[in-house]
Amino acid sequence: MSTPQTRAEVAVVGLGRVGLPLALCFADRGLTVIGVDNDAARLDAVREERMPFAETGAQALLERAARSGRLALSERVADAAGARHIVLTLGTPSFSHIEIDMRDIRSALDDLLSVLAPGHSLILRSTVAPGTTDFVAGYLAKHRDFQIGEDVYVAHAPERIAAGRFLEEIDTLPCIIGGVGARSGEVVAGLFSAFAAPIVQTSPVQAELAKIWANILRYTNFALPNLLMMDCERHGANVFEVIDLVNRDYPRGGIAQPGLTAGTCLRKDFAFSEERSAAPGMLLAVSRVNESVPLFLVEGVKRRLGGLAGRKVAVLGLAFKADTDDERDSLAHKLIRLLERELTDVAVHDPHVATPTVPLEEALEGAAAVVVATNHAEFREASTLAAIAERAGGDCLVVDPWNCWGAAQVFAYSSEIAALVASG
Ligand SMILES: NC(=O)c1ccc[n+]([C@@H]2O[C@H](COP(=O)([O-])OP(=O)(O)OC[C@H]3O[C@@H](n4cnc5c(N)ncnc54)[C@H](O)[C@@H]3O)[C@@H](O)[C@H]2O)c1
């Protein structure tokens, strides 16, 4: 095995929510790291030792990495070839054509083509459609005549960590590695042995399928209670009571709770399977269920309050899930757009996100309805319910698909919720 002339052990290309914590964790384990991103503002933040987004424990790691001198930064993808292992953590959205959008991956590959040398390994950490790792290997073989798995190594090592739990899960979640050819898996396992997590070797396509189907499972799991919530409204039934009846002391699985289900991974990863599905449409239907929850909530408010034009609705939460500052692909934004199309005066409060929102009291003041779009811990406090009663009044309609206060009502007036909570 030859080793390229390199000045760092690992390069991480794309210092986003996956790449930056990963780069910091490698540096923390003593590896020399080159972090690459083409967003100058992102690089400035890292240089100034400022985490550009919230990730538990990452700020301290960033400061340690800066002190250690083990993290170098660059905006040029080609500089990643200064490291033996090159990990791609670039975004992989989906086109509206139900197809992976791998333009960032293609662009990085083209930047790397001329600088790759025998001994390099290229690792796809991004979530990709089945077959992408073999495509990447084929692309390198086609354009550079490399023997993949013998002189250059290519593998998929999917990121499966949940935002906010990176530092904990990097050492515990089994690290799946699907290497191409004879030695890619073994070489890439050497890199990830920097962490304590067990390593599971498989084929590239199995690694790809395992990652996207973990997300498909969650996305589908949440679509079921969401569909049930909508069906219960039609039948005049209470979704929380039905879920309790299904789950109570029943030994064969259970239904999750309803909510607004989206986010950058769940919303798009199903499309990577749907691209060439044996049962086309099944996962699209799952997506349509989750995507229709905001409209269901808006229609529910309209049915109870009459027209919404000129009335004030407070939306609590912009993030796609609880206790994160990540708003990407959040259904809260869709909910707000739908409310605005009813000519509603929308006031938004979220204590976590970067987008400016108004203080809680200001959002609630005089609201005809309050929609809990994100179940942040702050909103689950009794004080939020008290603030709704005080600022918006007992006849304010509260929409709470998350059952934040245990009142078990998707739509109820704030005085009803207070009475239900008080009666336990
Ligand atoms: N966010 C998560 O919780 C999560 C979890 C598991 C898997 N994933 C997957 O990991 C991948 C990355 O996700 P993310 O949330 O970190 O994305 P992100 O958008 O936060 O990060 C991507 C980064 O790459 C940079 N970039 C884009 N094109 C570039 C280029 N040509 N050269 C250099 N830098 C470039 C961007 O500036 C950005 O900082 C995706 O495939 C995603 O599906 C994400």
Side-chain angles (χ1 to χ4, degrees):
M1 179 182 71
S2 55
T3 307
Q5 295 300 308
T6 54
R7 59 190 164 83
E9 278 145 292
V10 58
V12 178
V13 182
L15 297 178
R17 289 185 183 255
V18 164
L20 182 54
L22 183 67
L24 296 176
C25 285
F26 276 131
D28 208 51
R29 302 303 151 98
L31 276 68
T32 44
V33 183
I34 303 171
V36 181
D37 204 294
N38 62 2
D39 177 349
R42 170 78 26 130
L43 289 182
D44 284 346
V46 178
R47 268 190 208 102
E48 290 159 16
E49 298 176 34
R50 239 183 329 107
M51 272 303 287
F53 49 83
E55 178 58 50
T56 311
Q59 179 62 38
L61 231 56
L62 174 55
E63 290 161 21
R64 266 214 303 276
R67 276 199 304 277
S68 73
R70 282 194 292 270
L71 176 64
L73 297 172
S74 170
E75 57 190 17
R76 292 181 60 244
V77 175
D79 288 346
R84 179 177 167 212
H85 299 284
I86 302 168
V87 185
L88 301 186
T89 49
L90 296 158
T92 47
S94 65
F95 286 118
S96 53
H97 301 282
I98 314 176
E99 172 198 359
I100 183 171
D101 174 355
M102 49 185 283
R103 281 176 292 186
D104 287 347
I105 303 266
R106 285 286 299 266
S107 149
L109 277 183
D110 288 334
D111 287 348
L112 287 168
L113 259 188
S114 64
V115 288
L116 284 178
H120 268 126
S121 67
L122 186 65
I123 300 136
L124 280 175
R125 188 77 168 162
S126 304
T127 307
V128 292
T132 306
T133 311
D134 280 335
F135 159 78
V136 168
Y139 198 76
L140 298 186
K142 176 178 172 185
H143 293 285
R144 288 291 312 275
D145 218 17
F146 289 130
Q147 289 293 311
I148 306 299
E150 286 167 33
D151 45 17
V152 163
Y153 311 102
V154 173
H156 183 41
E159 182 59 81
R160 302 196 301 151
I161 289 168
R165 300 204 196 137
F166 201 100
L167 271 49
E168 170 199 334
E169 292 190 347
I170 191 75
D171 284 312
T172 55
L173 272 193
C175 174
I176 298 173
I177 296 179
V180 179
R183 296 201 52 238
S184 297
E186 166 201 335
V187 169
V188 173
L191 172 66
F192 282 93
S193 65
F195 306 117
I199 288 171
V200 190
Q201 295 279 0
T202 186
S203 66
V205 79
Q206 291 196 172
E208 292 162 341
L209 286 166
K211 166 62 198 176
I212 61 174
W213 275 79
N215 280 351
I216 287 169
L217 178 64
R218 280 176 71 69
Y219 198 49
T220 308
N221 249 338
F222 295 132
L224 296 175
N226 286 337
L227 180 59
L228 180 60
M229 171 171 67
M230 297 185 250
D231 284 353
C232 282
E233 171 88 348
R234 290 173 52 225
H235 292 294
N238 181 310
V239 64
F240 299 108
E241 289 179 19
V242 176
I243 288 175
D244 182 58
L245 291 169
V246 172
N247 291 350
R248 186 178 293 221
D249 297 333
Y250 192 65
R252 284 173 286 282
I255 300 189
Q257 300 292 317
L260 288 158
T261 307
T264 178
C265 288
L266 292 195
R267 197 199 59 77
K268 53 108 179 164
D269 286 3
F270 81 91
F272 298 178
S273 172
E274 196 74 356
E275 229 186 40
R276 48 194 84 194
S277 173
M282 177 184 153
L283 298 178
L284 268 182
V286 164
S287 166
R288 288 196 54 183
V289 169
N290 289 326
E291 284 290 313
S292 52
V293 170
L295 181 64
F296 163 75
L297 298 178
V298 172
E299 294 292 328
V301 174
K302 273 170 68 183
R303 257 195 307 282
R304 287 163 176 85
L305 296 189
L308 282 175
R311 303 185 77 176
K312 179 174 177 182
V313 174
V315 172
L316 303 188
L318 270 184
F320 84 89
K321 70 171 183 181
D323 309 328
T324 176
D325 63 348
D326 194 346
E327 304 170 54
R328 296 175 302 171
D329 284 333
S330 169
L331 283 178
H333 289 287
K334 183 171 183 176
L335 174 84
I336 291 165
R337 289 192 296 271
L338 290 172
L339 284 168
E340 286 172 348
R341 283 164 64 184
E342 298 295 330
L343 304 174
T344 312
D345 298 328
V346 183
V348 185
H349 169 69
D350 189 310
H352 293 272
V353 301
T355 300
T357 64
V358 301
L360 178 68
E361 291 70 22
E362 188 181 329
L364 297 176
E365 193 68 50
V370 175
V371 185
V372 185
T374 315
N375 54 338
H376 286 317
E378 292 86 343
F379 301 155
R380 300 195 297 267
E381 299 286 334
S383 58
T384 302
L385 200 51
I388 294 172
E390 191 188 323
R391 302 283 175 160
D395 60 351
C396 166
L397 182 67
V398 179
V399 183
D400 179 20
W402 304 100
N403 195 14
C404 279
W405 301 286
Q409 302 290 327
V410 178
F411 301 97
Y413 293 94
S414 93
S415 54
E416 286 178 273
I417 296 186
L420 284 164
V421 171
S423 68

